[in-house]
Amino acid sequence: MSDDGDLSTSNRLRERTDVNKYLFWVLLGVNRRVIVGALALVVFVAFVGSGILKPVSLRVTMERSDMVETLFSGLVGAIITSTTLVVSINQLVLSQEIGSLGTQRNRMDVTMDFYQNTDSLLGKTTPSDPAVLLAEVVEVCVGRARSLRDAVAGNDSDEFRGKVETYVADLEENADTAMSELEDSDFGTFNVVSPALDFNYARKMYHARRLGEQYESEMSDDERSALRDVLEAVTMYGPIREYVKVLYLQWALVKLSRAILYASVPALVVAGAIVVFVDPNTFTGTILGLETVLWVVSAGFTISVLPFLVFIAYVLRLATLAKQTLTVGSLILS
C-alpha cells in the first residue's frame, strides 16, 4: 500500500481477471441456450464441411461400410449413459437436502443465528429476496464507509485522510456498479450472481485491515470504531454472497439435469431412427448441390450430441464461477 492507487480496484469481475473480455462474456454472461445453439451450429457446419472435403461421397461410403450405423449405434449408448449421469447429478444435489429431523433443526438454528446477525447489521428484518439482501448489505457498506470518512475529517494526518478518501470513493463506485445490476434481478438467473461477484469485498476487507494496521497510532477511538464498523459490514457480505452462489449452483445443476433429459429424448429417437431406417437409398438427390443424405446425417449427428452440448454450455459457466470464488475472505487468488 505504497500509494493511493493501491486502494482502487476495478468495478467488475471481468476487469479484475486476465481472461479476454469476450471469452469471459461467453463463459459467464451469454444465455446458455445461445451457447448450445452456437455449439450445435459449429458441429453441423463441421460435419457438413468434412463431408464436402471427403474425396468419396457419403452415399458410396455407406454402401461400402456400416460406418454411419456404427457411429449412431455408439451415440444411442452414449445418450442412455448421459441420462444415468443426470440421475447421479440430481442425487448429488438432493443428498444435501436429505437428513434427519435433528439435522434439519441444526440447519435451521444456524440459519436463524445468521439472520439475527444480518438483522443487526441492517437494522431491520433480513429481506427474503437474495438480490434485495445483497443490495442492502452493499448499501450498509457504503453508509459505514461514508461515516468513516466523516470521522477522519479532523485527523491531523493528511496522508491518512487521503487514503480513507480514496478507499471510500472506490467502495462507493464499486457499490454503485453492483447495485445498478442487482435492480430487478430474479433469483435463478445469473443476473443475481454476476453483480454479487462484481462487488470486490475481499479487496475492501484487506484494505480496511491494512489501514487499521498502518495508521493505528494516528487514529482516535472513534476513528477505530468507524473503521471496525466498515470491516464488519464488508466481512458480512462474504458469507452472504457465497450462500447465494451455492444456492445458484444447486439451482443451475437442477436446470442442467432437466435440460439434458429434455435433449436426450429427441437425440435418442433421431440416433435410433438413423440406425434402423437410414441406408444409402433412403435419401436420394441433392440439396444446394450436396447429397441429401449428407444433410440428413449431419443434422442427425448434431441432434444426437445435443445432450453433450448442453452439458458443455452449463459446465463452462459453473466451472468459471467456481474458479473465481474459491475462497471466502481477504485471500485474493489473482
Side-chain angles (χ1 to χ4, degrees):
M1 194 179 298
S2 58
D3 55 56
D4 290 347
D6 291 331
L7 294 170
S8 299
T9 59
S10 300
N11 292 325
R12 299 182 187 277
L13 175 64
R14 173 179 55 79
E15 298 167 350
R16 299 194 294 268
T17 67
D18 56 358
V19 180
N20 179 276
K21 64 179 181 180
Y22 299 110
L23 176 59
F24 193 84
W25 178 67
V26 169
L27 291 174
L28 287 179
V30 182
N31 186 291
R32 295 301 94 180
R33 293 179 181 177
V34 175
I35 297 297
V36 173
L39 290 173
L41 180 61
V42 169
V43 171
F44 179 75
V45 171
F47 209 95
V48 172
S50 299
I52 295 173
L53 296 175
K54 194 173 186 296
V56 180
S57 69
L58 181 60
R59 180 186 301 279
V60 173
T61 301
M62 293 176 67
E63 292 174 346
R64 295 177 178 175
S65 70
D66 60 352
M67 178 182 63
V68 172
E69 181 180 345
T70 302
L71 170 64
F72 282 92
S73 296
L75 285 174
V76 169
I79 294 168
I80 295 174
T81 302
S82 70
T83 58
T84 305
L85 174 63
V86 168
V87 174
S88 300
I89 293 175
N90 275 319
Q91 288 177 334
L92 176 64
V93 175
L94 292 176
S95 66
Q96 301 181 41
E97 305 302 321
I98 299 174
S100 65
L101 178 61
T103 300
Q104 300 299 334
R105 177 59 186 270
N106 289 335
R107 290 180 60 188
M108 179 61 74
D109 289 343
V110 172
T111 300
M112 294 309 300
D113 182 61
F114 182 76
Y115 282 160
Q116 289 177 1
N117 292 334
T118 54
D119 289 348
S120 176
L121 178 72
L122 300 175
K124 61 179 182 180
T125 303
T126 300
S128 59
D129 185 275
V132 175
L133 174 58
L134 287 167
E136 292 196 359
V137 173
V138 172
E139 287 180 359
V140 171
C141 293
V142 172
R144 292 191 176 188
R146 290 170 178 168
S147 297
L148 171 64
R149 181 172 56 194
D150 295 339
V152 304
N155 192 285
D156 295 333
S157 173
D158 293 338
E159 180 182 346
F160 178 53
R161 291 199 309 272
K163 291 286 183 72
V164 170
E165 178 65 35
T166 301
Y167 176 80
V168 174
D170 178 67
L171 190 148
E172 288 177 327
E173 185 177 353
N174 194 188
D176 287 341
T177 300
M179 287 192 292
S180 65
E181 296 175 348
L182 282 168
E183 293 179 1
D184 302 322
S185 296
D186 296 322
F187 182 76
T189 66
F190 193 67
N191 294 335
V192 173
V193 181
S194 179
L197 299 179
D198 285 338
F199 187 67
N200 194 6
Y201 83 96
R203 281 285 182 186
K204 305 298 184 291
M205 285 179 59
Y206 173 74
H207 289 154
R209 296 175 63 209
R210 286 285 290 135
L211 283 171
E213 176 188 15
Q214 189 172 6
Y215 297 98
E216 169 67 25
S217 60
E218 301 177 34
M219 288 190 294
S220 65
D221 291 339
D222 289 341
E223 291 166 349
R224 293 190 188 93
S225 178
L227 184 60
R228 282 195 298 270
D229 288 342
V230 173
L231 185 58
E232 178 190 22
V234 175
T235 301
M236 184 67 74
Y237 182 86
I240 294 175
R241 190 197 75 173
E242 292 304 305
Y243 181 57
V244 171
K245 183 199 74 174
V246 169
L247 291 178
Y248 171 77
L249 289 175
Q250 292 178 327
W251 186 291
L253 286 173
V254 171
K255 289 178 65 177
L256 169 61
S257 301
R258 291 194 305 185
I260 291 178
L261 287 174
Y262 293 154
S264 295
V265 175
L268 186 61
V269 171
V270 170
I274 290 180
V275 171
V276 176
F277 302 115
V278 175
D279 59 41
N281 300 314
T282 304
F283 296 97
T284 59
T286 62
I287 298 177
L288 299 178
L290 299 177
E291 293 177 303
T292 303
V293 70
L294 175 60
W295 291 109
V296 172
V297 172
S298 298
F301 180 80
T302 302
I303 295 173
S304 298
V305 297
L306 271 180
F308 182 62
L309 301 182
V310 171
F311 182 77
I312 291 175
Y314 275 85
V315 169
L316 280 175
R317 172 182 279 176
L318 298 181
T320 304
L321 177 60
K323 177 184 176 182
Q324 299 298 331
T325 57
L326 287 175
T327 64
V328 178
S330 57
L331 187 64
I332 300 165
L333 306 179
S334 60

